[in-house]
Amino acid sequence: MKKNLVILTGAGMSAESGISTFRDAGGLWEQYPVEQVATPEGYARNPGLVIDFYNQRRKQLLDVQPNAGHIGLAELERDFNVTVVTQNVDNLHERAGSTHVIHLHGELTKVCSSRDPYNPAYIKELKPEEYEVRLGDLAGDGSQLRPFIVWFGEAVPEIETAIRFVQKADIFVIIGTSLNVYPAAGLLYYVPDTAPVYLIDPKPVDAHSDRPIHVIREGASEGVKELRKMLVP
């Protein structure tokens, strides 16, 4: 029987594909204050700015490809029951072939109702030719279409789903996340004591945990290659 492999990924997973990270030097937060483009208050104040910010992020998806790390994780499905829990809003895991991806912070390629963001009736997957959303484009309930993104200060509806899978993990892997953003960072506390934990990141990461962690000091692509050698005989 295949073991359950659960992988938590953050911005470092997609950085090698050319997706701008938010926190690093020169990252998006330096260009756009988080309060402006990633909070409900910022959206209420200037919806046009926020909609355009995510239009630009969406268009960037057309110019980038999954990297070897994304592809390596998808290939691990041959040997494991793989669940990817990602803090990223891009679709690179899916494009690389991963079949079970839980997006904690929403999905860039989707839009939803401003009034009722998590109502599935009003969540829409955009085709690439629809990536430009405008003021005046309405959801099924008559409210402005907004990005299907979990902003700071909003609930993270998928966290309970993620916890359920983490609690059943035989192996847990963390890739490219600073473990500073909660509730995602707290998932480590739900990993069974019997499950080995691997952390892939070229920079030091404080896991805020006393449990033993196998650290692979590499970027996503090289790190996943090394992980594969350890996990697949």
Side-chain angles (χ1 to χ4, degrees), residues 172-185:
F172 187 69
V173 181
I174 301 161
I175 306 177
T177 169
S178 61
L179 293 177
N180 283 328
V181 177
Y182 285 82

Side-chain angles (χ1 to χ4, degrees), residues 84-110:
V84 176
V85 180
T86 187
Q87 295 169 263
N88 299 336
V89 296
D90 61 60
N91 58 359
L92 295 178
H93 281 301
E94 287 89 346
R95 282 164 58 189
S98 287
T99 59
H100 187 213
V101 184
I102 298 168
H103 284 269
L104 292 179
H105 296 158
E107 295 177 68
L108 200 45
T109 57
K110 293 181 179 178

Side-chain angles (χ1 to χ4, degrees), residues 16-104:
E16 288 173 39
S17 294
I19 297 270
S20 305
T21 60
F22 283 86
R23 292 170 185 282
D24 288 343
L28 290 170
W29 290 153
E30 286 187 10
Q31 303 165 49
Y32 301 90
V34 61
E35 301 78 18
Q36 279 185 7
V37 295
T39 63
E41 295 78 15
Y43 179 64
R45 214 167 24 243
N46 192 340
L49 172 78
V50 175
I51 287 168
D52 190 56
F53 174 81
Y54 290 97
N55 284 343
Q56 299 309 319
R57 307 280 75 72
R58 223 174 272 121
K59 286 177 192 163
Q60 190 186 19
L61 292 181
L62 300 172
D63 299 324
V64 299
Q65 298 298 326
N67 60 54
H70 292 108
I71 293 162
L73 293 186
E75 287 172 348
L76 283 168
E77 292 191 11
R78 290 199 287 259
D79 300 288
F80 300 94
N81 295 319
V82 179
T83 298
V84 176
V85 180
T86 187
Q87 295 169 263
N88 299 336
V89 296
D90 61 60
N91 58 359
L92 295 178
H93 281 301
E94 287 89 346
R95 282 164 58 189
S98 287
T99 59
H100 187 213
V101 184
I102 298 168
H103 284 269
L104 292 179

Side-chain angles (χ1 to χ4, degrees), residues 6 160 162-170 187 189-192:
V6 180
E160 297 301 329
I163 287 169
R164 283 202 304 277
F165 282 94
V166 171
Q167 286 172 327
K168 293 181 191 150
D170 296 307
L187 287 173
Y189 303 128
Y190 294 94
V191 179

Side-chain angles (χ1 to χ4, degrees), residues 143-165:
S143 69
Q144 170 67 41
L145 278 176
R146 65 160 259 189
F148 184 59
I149 301 291
V150 176
W151 287 324
F152 288 95
E154 292 187 316
V156 180
E158 286 296 302
I159 194 68
E160 297 301 329
T161 309
I163 287 169
R164 283 202 304 277
F165 282 94

